[in-house]
Amino acid sequence: MIPYGKQSVSEEDIEAVVDALRSDFLTQGPVVERFEQEFAEVCGAKYAVACCNGTAALHLAMLAAGVKAGDRVVTSPITFVASANCAAYVGAEPYFADIDPISHCLSPQALERTWKPGTRAVVAVDFAGQPAEMPGIAEVARNNGAVVIEDACHAVGGRFTVDGREHRIGGHQWADITTFSFHPVKTLTTGEGGMLVTDNKEYADAAKLYRSHGITRSAGCWTGPLQPEAPEVGVAYYEMQALGFNYRLSDIHAALGVSQLKRLPGFIERRQKLVERYNQAFREQPNLTIPKVADWLSGNSNSLSWHLYVLLFEFERTGKSREEVILKLRDKGVGTQVHYIPVHKQPYYFNRDNEAALPVAEKFYSQALSLPLYPTMTEADQSRVIDEVLGIVSESS
Ligand SMILES: *Cc1c(COP(=O)(O)O)cnc(C)c1O
């Protein structure tokens, strides 16, 4: 079976993890800090805060940005549920704005058109690895006093050019906070893991505080009239300043991250090659639409970090439903996935504050199927996938 996604773990990666296991620190040791520093460098960001998964990174972003109960947060309907759930975790109300028909990322125009008062943050998702139109999104958000959070779980290591200047995912001026996931299907893995990056020291400090129970060792907050005397400040001192969580990443996981980070350029390049080969095979097919780069990026030199290969099918014209195509491909040993069932259609969300029509997202959903894409995929594997897909769309029903 050719899976739709798969991690690549080398002997060097394994040795790095074994070294961590033999060291003095399994958690809260030096490897986490090293991973944070090296990750911040890759992004060109000032601060990086490692945590236990990408969902925790989004939750920490909400907490750091001060999003609270009663606030609103807007995101794309075409994403993993965590991009919306993070808002609900802090008691805010998530809602959805429609996507761009080319990039399938949040559309700045739809964002502006459907903006609701009380929206404190935008969570823009770099769908499949293509950056959302961050300059346009940031303009709408900042004009309305909202914080811009970029969910870059699909786009680690990506670069794009605007007006002749290269920008890095996690390091450009149009996001206040950027989050990443290191789940094994993602481009870089730590098993489970996540990262928040920002240039804003207050956000970074807050994320660190909330990551570890809201506890800090530096004295600061004993101000209330009801408790004028603080416990003795000294080497054993700690204070809890906020209701935080245990969202730490262990040194074992971070060791895998440091080792994988060296391999990131190779992962990205391999994925780009595979995407280009799929594109060549499917470009001329009448019932298929290959992934395209949005106008604001096209013609520029971009090095995108493709996480998914989402092919659009005219299922009706092929005479087969998506279900039939998935099952036929599975019979032939080819795994696929649907990214994603629109979040506003999930039972938890659909009767809430989401009356807005999202026609572009719904059309996209009706056509999307993700083909296998991972760095250890061989050309022979890919040729098999291509042949099976072409066979299915061209055979008469
Ligand atoms: C994977 C993913 C997440 C969640 O990351 P986890 O590490 O699985 O918690 C959030 N948003 C998007 C877009 C993702 O793809």
Side-chain angles (χ1 to χ4, degrees):
M1 188 81 186
I2 301 173
Y4 93 87
K6 192 182 172 187
Q7 72 275 14
S8 160
V9 174
S10 67
E11 284 308 314
E12 228 187 335
D13 290 339
I14 292 168
E15 273 170 37
V17 173
V18 170
D19 286 346
L21 284 167
R22 292 192 208 279
S23 77
D24 291 337
F25 294 95
L26 298 188
T27 190
Q28 294 176 282
V31 187
V32 171
E33 265 177 51
R34 183 170 161 206
F35 184 36
E36 289 174 337
Q37 275 166 16
E38 292 184 5
F39 195 87
E41 272 168 39
V42 164
C43 294
K46 282 196 186 138
Y47 309 100
V49 181
C51 58
C52 56
N53 56 62
T55 305
L58 283 163
H59 188 187
L60 291 174
M62 290 285 135
L63 294 163
V67 180
K68 288 188 288 296
D71 290 339
R72 283 189 169 123
V73 174
V74 57
T75 188
S76 167
I78 300 299
T79 184
F80 185 56
V81 293
S83 312
N85 290 353
C86 60
Y89 292 161
V90 295
E93 188 66 41
Y95 72 98
F96 304 92
D98 214 346
I99 58 170
D100 176 84
I102 306 295
S103 70
H104 314 125
C105 299
L106 196 58
S107 146
Q109 291 76 29
L111 190 65
E112 183 153 49
R113 205 170 52 238
T114 58
W115 191 270
K116 295 186 186 187
T119 303
R120 285 276 298 122
V122 176
V123 179
V125 181
D126 300 327
F127 181 73
Q130 174 168 179
E133 195 179 332
M134 296 312 297
I137 288 169
E139 192 182 335
V140 176
R142 289 172 180 163
N143 284 344
N144 286 284
V147 176
V148 185
I149 293 161
E150 187 172 351
D151 179 345
C153 288
H154 293 187
V156 63
R159 291 163 183 254
F160 59 95
T161 304
V162 177
D163 295 334
R165 254 197 78 198
E166 189 180 65
H167 300 275
R168 288 184 248 174
I169 298 287
H172 59 74
Q173 70 263 40
W174 301 292
D176 299 307
I177 298 175
T178 306
T179 64
F180 299 88
S181 163
F182 309 128
H183 183 278
V185 299
K186 306 290 160 72
T187 294
L188 181 147
T189 191
T190 61
E192 293 278 2
M195 192 76 82
L196 175 158
V197 306
T198 181
D199 279 351
N200 181 316
K201 185 167 190 307
E202 277 174 35
Y203 290 159
D205 287 346
K208 280 186 189 155
L209 190 72
Y210 284 108
R211 170 179 69 177
S212 206
H213 308 279
I215 287 176
T216 170
R217 291 195 171 276
S218 51
C221 274
W222 301 95
T223 51
L226 296 178
Q227 190 169 280
E229 274 179 67
E232 188 187 349
V233 176
V235 284
Y237 182 81
Y238 63 91
E239 67 180 43
M240 178 182 144
Q241 300 183 343
L243 185 62
F245 300 85
N246 181 351
Y247 278 173
R248 291 187 301 261
L249 188 73
S250 81
D251 281 50
I252 305 168
H253 293 85
L256 182 53
V258 169
S259 183
Q260 288 253 310
L261 213 44
K262 293 188 207 132
R263 306 177 60 209
L264 180 60
F267 289 156
I268 292 172
E269 196 183 318
R270 179 71 190 144
R271 284 170 176 272
Q272 287 171 344
K273 285 222 170 79
L274 292 166
V275 165
E276 190 42 46
R277 198 156 170 259
Y278 271 144
N279 284 345
Q280 269 167 24
F282 299 134
R283 186 172 280 130
E284 305 295 334
Q285 290 296 313
N287 294 332
L288 299 175
T289 305
I290 61 171
K292 293 196 185 86
V293 170
D295 285 348
W296 73 284
L297 284 177
S298 76
N300 300 339
S301 86
N302 303 303
S303 174
L304 303 188
S305 177
W306 293 106
H307 164 51
L308 300 172
Y309 189 83
V310 183
L311 193 57
L312 300 183
F313 288 70
E314 297 287 344
F315 287 108
E316 247 169 62
R317 281 206 258 138
T318 68
K320 289 172 208 72
S321 67
R322 174 164 54 200
E323 185 74 4
E324 286 169 309
V325 171
I326 293 172
L327 292 176
K328 271 177 182 276
L329 286 171
R330 188 196 286 172
D331 266 359
K332 306 284 189 184
V334 175
T336 56
Q337 273 280 3
V338 176
H339 296 95
Y340 292 92
I341 296 176
V343 182
H344 68 287
K345 289 187 162 296
Q346 293 294 345
Y348 180 77
Y349 281 112
F350 92 158
N351 270 334
R352 293 162 72 113
D353 189 16
N354 298 313
E355 71 282 359
L358 301 165
V360 186
E362 304 216 356
K363 168 112 196 293
F364 164 79
Y365 166 62
S366 74
Q367 297 191 303
L369 192 62
S370 303
L371 302 187
L373 183 68
Y374 50 92
T376 57
M377 188 181 198
T378 62
E379 296 220 341
D381 288 340
Q382 191 180 28
S383 296
R384 246 183 75 203
V385 175
I386 290 169
D387 290 347
E388 297 300 350
V389 170
L390 291 179
I392 286 173
V393 292
S394 57
E395 82 193 8
S396 56
S397 47

